[in-house]
């Protein structure tokens, strides 16, 4: 079962809402004060909604129709694939948030970054967030088990790291009211240096690595790349 079906969808929607205020504060501080923004993948539109409320001209794209179905009405959202973005640009800024970086195979990641460069105006900004970079994920220890609860749903996860592939595999169990469902996910884990080099190869000239409150440091929960 995927992220946007059944208990997994309800869990991640509740988790996203719980983190929304903090995420939006970071995003708003990095974006230009106004203009057009592409939110991709937008999921259920939680950040698209906040950006639209703040006066941005927002377009959201996600590959999962189940995620888009959870979005509130009135947003400009459409189904699309990071590997082949629709011709929607140019935009002043693009946002790739929600730990979505790393799900694609490396060659497809390169294609997606080139597509983002294509739709962002010259001088525009790409904000790319990930907790799945090596200096964050591996520094904290990656294999093992964890348990989290949101929206009345408990998620128990078992993580296995495959060093030869730099790939993290996650088996999850979601439980609520006696109902149990299972899901799987995997990330390709890139170093921050690899991320910077991929962004340069895609055509972004300047890349700054940040954490939530300043320059990125090894072990920080997530990396935010601000590329122009």
């Amino acid at each position: 079962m995927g992220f946007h079906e059944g208990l997994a969808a309800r869990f991640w929607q509740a988790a996203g809402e719980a983190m929304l205020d903090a995420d939006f504060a970071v995003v708003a501080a990095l974006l230009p004060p106004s203009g057009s923004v592409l939110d991709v993948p937008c999921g259920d539109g939680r950040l698209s909604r906040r950006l639209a409320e703040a006066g941005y001209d927002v377009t959201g794209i996600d590959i999962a129709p189940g995620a888009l179905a959870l979005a509130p009405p009135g947003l400009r959202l459409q189904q699309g694939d990071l590997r082949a973005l629709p011709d929607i640009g140019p935009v002043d800024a693009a946002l790739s948030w929600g730990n979505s970086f790393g799900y694609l195979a490396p060659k497809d990641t390169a294609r997606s970054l080139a597509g983002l460069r294509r739709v962002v105006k010259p001088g525009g900004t790409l904000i790319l967030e990930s907790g799945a970079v090596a200096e964050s994920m591996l520094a904290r220890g990656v294999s093992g088990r964890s348990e989290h609860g949101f929206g009345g749903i408990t998620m128990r996860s078992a993580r296995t790291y495959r060093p030869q592939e730099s790939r993290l595999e996650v088996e999850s169990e979601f439980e609520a009211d006696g109902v149990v469902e299972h899901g799987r996910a995997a990330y390709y884990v890139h170093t921050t240096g690899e991320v910077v080099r991929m962004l340069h190869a895609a055509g972004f000239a300047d890349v700054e690595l940040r954490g939530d409150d300043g320059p990125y440091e090894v072990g920080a929960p997530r990396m935010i790349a601000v590329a122009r």
Side-chain angles (χ1 to χ4, degrees):
M1 180 167 290
F3 281 123
H4 304 299
E5 302 173 80
L7 293 179
R10 289 168 48 195
F11 176 90
W12 289 113
Q13 186 175 38
E17 285 298 318
M19 296 182 283
L20 180 55
D21 287 343
D23 282 347
F24 181 72
V26 176
V27 168
L30 297 174
L31 285 174
S34 62
S36 54
V37 179
L38 171 64
D39 179 12
V40 57
C42 65
D44 63 5
R46 66 187 187 103
L47 280 169
S48 293
R49 183 184 80 232
R50 280 293 182 89
L51 289 166
E53 290 170 351
Y56 290 93
D57 179 16
V58 186
T59 300
I61 294 176
D62 201 281
I63 196 171
L68 297 171
L70 296 173
L75 296 176
R76 189 191 306 131
L77 306 181
Q78 65 184 83
Q79 187 175 4
D81 193 325
L82 264 172
R83 295 165 293 187
L85 287 173
D87 187 13
I88 64 161
V91 294
D92 296 302
L95 178 66
S96 181
W97 203 264
N99 209 34
S100 57
F101 184 81
Y103 284 115
L104 299 178
K107 66 177 182 179
D108 289 329
T109 295
R111 287 173 58 194
S112 73
L113 294 177
L116 287 166
R117 175 66 277 183
R118 175 178 56 81
V119 302
V120 174
K121 294 177 182 178
T125 303
L126 167 65
I127 301 173
L128 176 72
E129 179 261 3
S130 180
V133 293
E135 289 87 347
S136 285
M137 185 173 284
L138 302 184
R140 300 195 308 271
V142 66
S143 295
R145 297 180 177 273
S146 62
E147 181 174 316
H148 301 281
F150 286 101
I153 301 166
T154 299
M155 179 183 74
R156 303 178 185 91
S157 296
R159 302 177 302 279
T160 303
Y161 187 66
R162 309 291 185 191
Q164 287 185 316
E165 302 174 64
S166 295
R167 178 180 166 94
L168 176 70
E169 298 176 354
V170 185
E171 299 274 353
S172 297
E173 176 185 274
F174 299 87
E175 181 177 4
D177 301 322
V179 176
V180 176
E181 296 176 355
H182 295 87
R184 304 179 68 183
Y187 302 88
Y188 287 93
V189 180
H190 300 281
T191 67
T192 53
E194 286 178 314
V195 175
V196 172
R197 288 190 288 274
M198 284 190 287
L199 287 165
H200 284 320
F204 291 96
D206 299 311
V207 181
E208 177 187 7
L209 299 184
R210 299 182 55 89
D212 285 343
D213 302 313
Y216 179 77
E217 297 180 357
V218 173
R222 60 184 174 187
M223 173 214 74
I224 303 166
V226 183
R228 297 179 176 88

